Amino acid sequence: MYARFGFVSDARRVFNEMPVRDLGSWNAMISSYCQSGRAAEALSLFEDMRRNGVRMDCVTVSSVLPVCAPLNDLSMGKLIHVYVIKNGLDFDIFVSNALINTYAKIGCIEDAQRVFDGMETRDLVSWNSIVSAYEQAGEPSTALYLFGEMRKNSFQPDKLTFVSLASVAAQCGSFQNGRGMHGSATRRGWILEDIFVGNALIDLYAKLGRIDYAQKMFDTMAVKDVISWNTLITGYAQNGLANEAIELYHSMDKCEGITADQGTLVSILPGFSHVGALVQGKRIHGRSIRIGLHLDVFVGTCLIDMYAKCGRLDDAMLLFGEVPRRSSVPWNAIISGHGIHGHGAKSLFLFAEMQEEGVKPDHVTFVSLLSACSHAGLVDQGQRCFQRMQREYGIVPTTKHYACMVDLLGRAGQLDTAYDFIKSMPIRPDASIWGALLGACRIHGNVELGTLASDQLFEIDSENVGYYVLLSNIYAKVGRWEGVDKVRSLARDRGLRKTPGWSSIAVNNRVDVFFTGNQSHPRCKDIYKELGILLAQMKNLGYVPDYSFVLQDVEEDEKEHILTSHSERLAIAFGIISTPPKTPIHIFKNLRVCGDCHNATKFISMITEREIIVRDSNRFHHFKDGNCSCGDYW
């Protein structure tokens, strides 16, 4: 009774006072811990039960097995499985289903399959469990095959089957299958009956990049819970719509009966990270402290990521010292954080520290490490990391790892080596890999290889306007204007439009956003006047405009005006006239900073005696006393 009302401590007090306890008493108390999410206490009591010589039954096993997964305790799961076999409990369908779920959640998909194959009798839960196991393991084709086998065995899918299949459709990237599932759920009346089905559809559409359909699904739901809001917020953030995610979060905050939970904080923090909204991110940090979630490993990791991406690396390190560090998750965030600031050596040091503490790296760890080496020009160290990942940890490289390696070699000017690396890959290169090569060709002005990479990209991902822009930039840099016109015409014919460049700056708790050539700001005249003064001072110190970063075939005086009106320079000038002398200026830019603006900002930092911190789409640049933290390598 106490357990069902959530008073677990009172339940334990009654349990402790019992002069005689039977199997039912132990099962009831273990179950109460399991239901309240207190996995460690459930396992501890289970150990006490064994020491007291009380024999487990099917109820005990079915209760205690699920708590092995949150603790990632494979050894305990295996011990229970051995006990089950020795005592003949493996023929119980509930026990077998619990074993499948436990192995799947711990990541032992082969063990889950063996249990399933050994079952003499299966019910719908058995089939749902094994389909879900492969869905969670990221093997959608096997999950679909098993679903087909389930139908052949005359089992009709239920709502839990549907939730797993929705995730499978998202992994397969099939919008058509997603729409078919939506229609099937509607015909069966599940959307009106079950909020979990509606939430699964929101998640499906968001992961397919169809956030408009996700929003429509959300709007049609008569009842929404906190998971509905969290799923849609995550969808907007993951699709690069950070401002929309933030607006939705504020709407949720005003909604009666909906209280932010761990999932909410984890959903919204990446949005604040993306736009550099440090003040709002700090408010989330305060909220997490008030509700006791600031040391939760997932919330803590998102806060580390937020502080790092908002330029507060010291705060990120302080928080990293407080959160639990038994898993790779917080380590990955802090390694990545140092990487985007150009501190590749520090990222490698943290990786060594991670190994000393016995934390096993995963595939994300090596993506962060390789990216950090790439930004810092640590080619040899990056190549060693790539080899160690496979040799020591048995991690099979994914396209992300290969893209990082191409980026590492390409940034360092080793374009032919990067191209040979692509040709030697055991998997088919995707857009991220060819895109990394194209970006390197833009940096080093290699027209021939850039054209080759772009031909591959236009076949794989013809709708991504960024690749057309990069190729156009390569042609413009060497003055091949006929090539520029051809690429732009090709993009226009396909209905593609260039993403406008913008830069933002926060002054007096207000964020001002500047677009290139912006003339509409209230202080427009003051901004351009300041830029004119700075340009004259820069030229006296030896600044020479680099017209290769002007992508129009116009006269030189017009080219100079275009460079001066780039969005980051407008934001910097506004910061100079709006803040006290010698105070730091923080700029956030949605695209990569151009080479001429990078050079100009070094001069401005020296003239104004300010530190100017610019976060572009790739990394942070800390300009001070005429130098940049990237060492002109980015």
Side-chain angles (χ1 to χ4, degrees), residues 13 30 33 61 99 155 209 224 239 403 405 415 470 475 505:
R13 197 173 295 114
I30 290 171
Y33 278 132
V61 173
L99 281 166
F155 284 95
K224 305 175 185 76
N239 281 281
M405 285 300 295
L415 295 174
L470 274 174
Y475 284 131
I505 180 172

Side-chain angles (χ1 to χ4, degrees), residues 429-445:
D430 67 355
S432 66
I433 292 166
W434 288 113
L437 183 63
L438 182 61
C441 292
R442 165 67 182 92
I443 295 169
H444 298 287

Side-chain angles (χ1 to χ4, degrees), residues 104 109 128-144 146 160-171 203 207:
I109 192 73
N128 281 348
S129 298
I130 197 66
V131 169
S132 175
Y134 281 100
E135 171 261 313
Q136 291 169 22
E139 297 187 31
S141 57
T142 309
L144 285 174
L146 286 164
L160 290 176
T161 323
F162 177 87
V163 170
S164 293
L165 290 177
S167 177
V168 167
Q171 290 178 39
D203 183 62
K207 284 178 177 172

Side-chain angles (χ1 to χ4, degrees), residues 3 17 23 26 82 125 169 191 202 230 298 326 331 413 420 521 633:
E17 290 171 356
L23 181 58
W26 288 94
V82 169
V125 176
I191 293 174
I202 295 170
N230 292 350
F298 298 106
R326 292 184 296 275
W331 288 96
D420 290 339
H521 194 274
Y633 186 95

Side-chain angles (χ1 to χ4, degrees), residues 151-448:
R151 296 296 300 273
K152 286 179 186 175
N153 282 271
S154 303
F155 284 95
Q156 289 300 314
D158 65 358
K159 294 167 193 173
L160 290 176
T161 323
F162 177 87
V163 170
S164 293
L165 290 177
S167 177
V168 167
Q171 290 178 39
C172 293
S174 174
F175 177 67
Q176 187 175 355
N177 284 348
R179 291 291 289 159
M181 291 185 65
H182 190 165
S184 176
T186 303
R187 287 191 298 274
R188 294 168 188 261
W190 287 348
I191 293 174
L192 296 175
E193 291 176 6
D194 201 318
I195 198 169
F196 296 109
V197 172
N199 292 344
L201 285 168
I202 295 170
D203 183 62
L204 166 63
Y205 286 130
K207 284 178 177 172
L208 291 173
R210 302 303 298 264
I211 197 68
D212 50 340
Y213 280 86
Q215 181 69 62
K216 285 176 186 174
M217 184 65 245
F218 179 84
D219 292 338
T220 58
M221 290 171 67
V223 180
K224 305 175 185 76
D225 61 6
V226 68
I227 296 172
S228 315
W229 288 90
N230 292 350
T231 306
L232 190 58
I233 290 169
T234 301
Y236 275 114
Q238 289 178 346
N239 281 281
L241 301 167
N243 289 320
E244 288 81 352
I246 292 167
E247 286 176 18
L248 188 66
Y249 166 73
H250 290 312
S251 298
M252 172 188 163
D253 227 15
K254 296 171 187 172
C255 190
E256 288 186 21
I258 301 292
T259 305
D261 62 5
Q262 180 219 43
T264 313
L265 306 189
V266 170
S267 300
I268 193 55
L269 278 167
F272 293 136
S273 300
H274 182 74
V275 298
L278 178 63
V279 173
Q280 294 191 65
K282 281 184 168 181
R283 289 195 187 115
I284 296 292
H285 191 178
R287 185 170 196 168
S288 71
I289 292 170
R290 286 194 300 275
I291 60 179
L293 284 172
H294 61 296
L295 296 182
D296 173 87
V297 67
F298 298 106
V299 174
T301 298
C302 287
L303 286 167
I304 290 167
D305 182 67
M306 184 274 295
Y307 280 118
K309 287 181 178 173
C310 289
R312 302 291 285 269
L313 202 49
D314 290 342
D315 290 330
M317 276 299 288
L318 283 172
L319 193 56
F320 176 70
E322 295 176 4
V323 300
R325 302 191 320 206
R326 292 184 296 275
S327 75
S328 62
V329 178
W331 288 96
N332 295 346
I334 200 67
I335 288 170
S336 174
H338 281 85
I340 61 172
H341 283 267
H343 304 321
K346 178 66 174 179
S347 292
L348 289 168
F349 174 81
L350 284 163
F351 177 60
E353 195 176 330
M354 174 184 181
Q355 291 172 298
E356 286 175 14
E357 292 194 16
V359 180
K360 186 179 179 182
D362 58 17
H363 69 283
V364 178
T365 314
F366 285 98
V367 169
S368 300
L369 266 179
L370 292 170
S371 179
C373 290
S374 177
H375 286 304
L378 304 175
V379 178
D380 292 341
Q381 294 91 324
Q383 288 177 316
R384 282 197 292 272
C385 284
F386 186 72
Q387 291 163 3
R388 289 185 65 189
M389 174 183 79
Q390 300 169 76
R391 187 176 61 248
E392 294 182 28
Y393 297 100
I395 296 172
V396 178
T398 66
T399 52
K400 289 184 179 179
H401 298 109
Y402 286 116
C404 284
M405 285 300 295
V406 173
D407 191 55
L408 174 77
L409 296 166
R411 282 179 193 272
Q414 299 180 26
L415 295 174
D416 291 335
T417 307
Y419 181 49
D420 290 339
F421 179 83
I422 292 174
K423 289 191 290 184
S424 69
M425 283 166 39
I427 61 172
R428 186 168 181 261
D430 67 355
S432 66
I433 292 166
W434 288 113
L437 183 63
L438 182 61
C441 292
R442 165 67 182 92
I443 295 169
H444 298 287
N446 190 317
V447 179
E448 289 72 24

Side-chain angles (χ1 to χ4, degrees), residues 422-584:
I422 292 174
K423 289 191 290 184
S424 69
M425 283 166 39
I427 61 172
R428 186 168 181 261
D430 67 355
S432 66
I433 292 166
W434 288 113
L437 183 63
L438 182 61
C441 292
R442 165 67 182 92
I443 295 169
H444 298 287
N446 190 317
V447 179
E448 289 72 24
L449 201 52
T451 305
L452 187 150
S454 63
D455 288 343
Q456 297 291 333
L457 285 163
F458 295 160
E459 283 185 23
I460 299 169
D461 189 6
S462 62
E463 300 299 308
N464 190 324
V465 71
Y467 302 136
Y468 297 84
V469 173
L470 274 174
L471 183 60
S472 175
N473 291 357
I474 292 171
Y475 284 131
K477 188 172 184 178
V478 296
R480 287 175 55 173
W481 300 108
E482 74 286 350
V484 173
D485 292 338
K486 182 180 177 183
V487 174
R488 288 180 177 173
S489 296
L490 186 61
R492 269 198 307 272
D493 292 344
R494 292 179 175 175
L496 305 176
R497 294 182 63 187
K498 180 179 181 288
T499 304
W502 57 260
S503 298
S504 67
I505 180 172
V507 176
N508 298 324
N509 292 326
R510 174 184 161 173
V511 176
D512 284 83
V513 179
F514 295 87
F515 290 86
T516 297
N518 193 303
Q519 299 278 345
S520 60
H521 194 274
R523 301 195 66 184
C524 179
K525 288 184 179 178
D526 296 332
I527 289 169
Y528 279 100
K529 181 181 176 182
E530 180 66 24
L531 284 171
I533 294 168
L534 287 170
L535 182 60
Q537 292 175 311
M538 286 157 56
K539 285 183 174 179
N540 286 336
L541 292 173
Y543 165 73
V544 178
D546 186 347
Y547 297 139
S548 71
F549 290 96
V550 178
L551 307 181
Q552 291 89 11
D553 188 13
V554 294
E555 298 298 323
E556 286 200 355
D557 58 341
E558 181 62 20
K559 288 182 179 181
E560 184 172 273
H561 174 72
I562 290 169
L563 288 173
T564 304
S565 62
H566 276 189
S567 66
E568 52 265 59
R569 291 204 214 178
L570 298 176
I572 289 169
F574 176 68
I576 291 169
I577 64 176
S578 304
T579 58
K582 299 186 180 181
T583 56

